[in-house]
Amino acid sequence: MVVLWPAFLMACVATGVFFSLVDPMELIVLDERVQVHMLGAYTIGFLIFWVLGAFSSWLTALLLQKIP
């Protein structure tokens, strides 16, 4: 939980900020418009941000264990 909880909070904020600035229906990936429902875009975005936050928190926890 030391890794997942901060990642969850970061994903909440990142999703709110990102989708406040970007319309999910206007997302373009590799020159193709993303054909996904708005709720699906929010969900995928949230999960991507959560994975990035979890990796960041895990790396921080790992580095703190290495410090004598």
Side-chain angles (χ1 to χ4, degrees):
M1 289 310 295
V2 172
V3 170
L4 293 179
W5 182 244
F8 177 80
L9 295 176
M10 190 279 306
C12 290
V13 172
T15 302
V17 170
F18 181 78
F19 286 113
S20 293
L21 300 172
V22 176
D23 182 16
M25 301 313 292
E26 298 295 323
L27 288 175
I28 297 173
V29 177
L30 300 174
D31 292 332
E32 292 289 329
R33 182 165 284 185
V34 177
Q35 299 295 326
V36 69
H37 193 268
M38 284 182 64
L39 186 58
Y42 294 138
T43 302
I44 292 168
F46 176 80
L47 292 175
I48 289 171
F49 287 130
W50 198 1
V51 167
L52 290 173
F55 179 73
S56 174
S57 296
W58 171 78
L59 191 58
T60 301
L62 179 69
L63 292 174
L64 282 175
Q65 290 177 354
K66 302 288 182 178
I67 296 175

